[in-house]
Amino acid sequence: MVEDINMSVDLGGFSIKNPVLTASGTYGYSLEYGRFFDVKKIGAIVTKAITLEPREGNSGRRLFETDSGMINSIGLENVGIEKFISEKLPILNKSLDFIVNIAGSSLDEYVKLGAVCQENNIRAIELNVSCPNVKSGCLEFGTDEKSLYNLVSEVRKVYNGCLIVKLTPNVTEIEKIALAAQNAGANCVSAINTLKGMGIKLSWNKGKFSKQTVSGGLSGRAIKPVALAMVNRVAKVVDIPIIGIGGIYTVDDVFEFLSVGASAVQVGTANFTHPDVAGRLVDEIHNFMYENGIRSVKQLCDLLRE
């Protein structure tokens, strides 16, 4: 048995109390999940993607349940950076560790967002260069290493906190994208965002088919094998921490990501069906470490990677 358990994790200059975070777009802006458990228990939350101006998001059907997953086409609906700073940030600053996810339609928008975050002493940001549900920005940068290198370099000029780049799986060589992020000054990468997918619902009525479709990002249990493979590939080429994302529901899922090179994890789709899952995972990791005499997350990772 061991009493002095250290569950903290360093994400490249941004230290969090344990390796469980919640993924952008699945946890609101601050304490929305507080009715289900003590949100302050988790390592950090990642906010909904924030853009310069408020966005209403995509029209039409936005969510589609699939076998072992979900397709979303939200389209980065959010309150905009001005309202976020005035209304959401004060709550976050008083409550828990957080990372602000930012998204832009152009390099200039990302730089302006980075500058606002710097001015407001936000300790960590996550560059969303991987959302597949918008017409401009995001994937335009996240799928090309030269464009991404330029973007991260320019944001780094105006922001000196922990800079995390959220990687897309919708590329042939994720290693090149991750290296570009690291070489441009990123402190950490998170992997992966959603895969491009389509959901179809067919109905037969009076001799004719009708069809509903939703194109967007596939998440949930279905993408975990892809996410594990990509985290494993990225871990072989970068020297900065990796946050693993994709289909995490159980403590075994967390351990699998840590075993292939992740330093921490983000819980996403599971929050919609199990709103207390992040808190439960913190407890289960702690209990496992306590029962097995493991003193730190680093020691746990070393054991998992032997």
Side-chain angles (χ1 to χ4, degrees):
M1 298 292 187
V2 59
E3 296 292 343
D4 55 334
I5 296 173
N6 180 7
M7 293 184 69
S8 67
V9 175
D10 184 356
L11 298 178
F14 179 65
S15 180
I16 55 177
K17 56 182 172 285
N18 62 64
V20 179
L21 303 92
T22 53
S24 177
T26 70
Y27 229 69
Y29 298 101
S30 56
L31 301 177
E32 285 89 338
Y33 278 68
R35 72 185 69 179
F36 302 107
F37 75 105
D38 182 7
V39 178
K40 297 177 184 178
K41 177 187 292 188
I42 60 180
I45 71 163
V46 186
T47 69
K48 281 179 62 68
I50 306 298
T51 53
L52 270 182
E53 302 296 333
R55 289 179 59 102
E56 294 183 356
N58 294 333
S59 59
R61 186 167 181 174
R62 298 185 179 190
L63 296 176
F64 190 97
E65 187 175 356
T66 68
D67 293 336
S68 300
M70 179 183 77
I71 293 173
N72 90 81
S73 181
I74 304 300
L76 300 182
E77 177 187 359
N78 73 97
V79 298
I81 190 66
E82 183 177 341
K83 194 169 185 178
F84 173 80
I85 295 297
S86 65
E87 297 185 5
K88 311 298 182 181
L89 187 59
I91 299 172
L92 286 166
N93 279 333
K94 293 179 181 178
S95 307
L96 70 166
D97 288 327
F98 62 94
I99 298 166
V100 177
N101 182 287
I102 62 173
S105 299
S106 65
L107 186 150
D108 184 59
E109 289 190 5
Y110 279 100
V111 171
K112 288 179 179 178
L113 286 162
V116 172
C117 291
Q118 177 68 28
E119 292 166 4
N120 287 275
N121 300 311
I122 291 171
R123 296 170 54 214
I125 62 174
E126 181 181 66
L127 296 187
N128 187 341
V129 293
S130 46
C131 175
N133 303 322
V134 291
K135 293 180 180 179
S136 61
C138 292
L139 276 179
E140 293 179 8
F141 298 101
T143 56
D144 179 81
E145 61 263 35
K146 292 181 180 179
S147 296
L148 181 62
Y149 180 91
N150 188 41
L151 174 64
V152 176
S153 298
E154 292 302 310
V155 174
R156 177 50 83 201
K157 291 178 183 178
V158 300
Y159 180 76
N160 61 22
C162 180
L163 179 55
I164 303 167
V165 177
K166 190 169 187 178
L167 304 178
T168 177
N170 300 300
V171 292
T172 302
E173 296 181 86
I174 195 170
E175 296 92 337
K176 289 184 177 180
I177 305 300
L179 274 173
Q182 173 180 279
N183 293 339
N187 299 98
C188 177
V189 292
S190 50
I192 56 176
N193 207 329
T194 55
L195 287 85
K196 287 184 176 180
M198 174 181 283
I200 298 176
K201 181 177 181 180
L202 295 172
S203 299
W204 176 259
N205 186 34
K206 297 180 180 180
K208 292 183 179 181
F209 281 111
S210 61
K211 180 170 67 175
Q212 288 184 315
T213 65
V214 174
S215 294
L218 174 66
S219 63
R221 291 186 186 275
I223 76 166
K224 192 180 81 168
V226 177
L228 287 169
M230 292 205 164
V231 168
N232 185 53
R233 288 166 58 184
V234 170
K236 292 177 179 178
V237 299
V238 302
D239 301 317
I240 55 179
I242 303 166
I243 304 171
I245 317 167
I248 296 169
Y249 283 73
T250 69
V251 71
D252 286 339
D253 295 330
V254 175
F255 289 169
E256 288 173 22
F257 275 93
L258 298 182
S259 77
V260 295
S263 297
V265 298
Q266 289 181 19
V267 182
T269 303
N271 293 315
F272 297 129
T273 54
H274 301 78
D276 63 342
V277 61
R280 174 173 54 79
L281 290 174
V282 173
D283 291 338
E284 291 181 6
I285 295 169
H286 179 276
N287 292 342
F288 180 89
M289 293 173 65
Y290 178 82
E291 291 167 4
N292 293 281
I294 300 172
R295 292 182 176 274
S296 67
V297 172
K298 182 183 182 306
Q299 183 184 0
L300 174 62
C301 290
D302 289 342
L303 290 167
L304 284 164
R305 298 168 191 171
E306 285 182 351

